[in-house]
Amino acid sequence: MHPLLLLTTSSAIVGESSPRLRTAAVSPVLRTAVPPVLRRTARAPAPVALADDGGGGLLATLESFQSSHALLISILVAIGTRYIISEVRYRFEKPVMDELGNRVATELKPDTDRIDGLAWAKLAGCVALDLAGDASELVPVLGELTDVAFAPAEAGLLWALFKSPLVSGFGFLEEILPFTDVVPTFCIGWGLPKLL
């Protein structure tokens, strides 16, 4: 017999009118004397709801879940999958990325002979324009509204400085989108032709 049923049965027996059972009632589950509150009640309502009635109730569902170990298996599968993916990435992606990094380091060197005084002055202007675009962030809500007016102006200035539709389009999107003002578009536009 299930322990919850034993507790319920002993509580129901204690509630009967036999004086011998009232004085010597001991719960077979807890091996302690039944409290006087249970002696007065005819049945215990809570344990009966959890008792297995043979129809596969809550207790049967819990027991089947415990015996299937589904949670433990899913955790182990997730850990194993994560380990395998990290191992594959380490063995295959890392050498490719290292080789790409070495090629970039050797091939993308700035030509310092091509950077003259005019180019350095252009860089100072680019830094000033980037700071002007970032200044709108000083005013919390109003700053994003001023970007709507500054976005076409930034795109026009980028076109005038670099004659690149890609850079000017990127500058327009960077300025019109919220919370992207920190991207130094003018400095990136200045550095791209120097590196490539």
Side-chain angles (χ1 to χ4, degrees), residues 64-156:
S64 67
F65 178 73
Q66 287 175 344
S67 64
S68 71
H69 303 294
L71 180 64
L72 180 62
I73 291 171
S74 63
I75 290 172
L76 290 176
V77 166
I79 291 171
T81 304
R82 184 176 172 109
Y83 174 75
I84 290 170
I85 289 172
S86 66
E87 192 65 29
V88 167
R89 289 184 72 188
Y90 178 75
R91 290 186 186 198
F92 292 108
E93 285 183 11
K94 187 174 182 331
V96 172
M97 294 306 286
D98 288 344
E99 178 63 28
L100 180 66
N102 290 336
R103 285 185 186 177
V104 167
T106 57
E107 294 176 9
L108 285 182
K109 300 265 183 185
D111 187 8
T112 56
D113 296 334
R114 286 187 5 197
I115 302 175
D116 57 355
L118 184 63
W120 288 112
K122 195 175 188 180
L123 176 62
C126 288
V127 169
L129 288 170
D130 277 331
L131 289 176
D134 294 344
S136 66
E137 292 295 319
L138 295 175
V139 181
V141 176
L142 189 63
E144 292 302 325
L145 295 175
T146 60
D147 288 345
V148 174
F150 191 68
E154 180 173 338

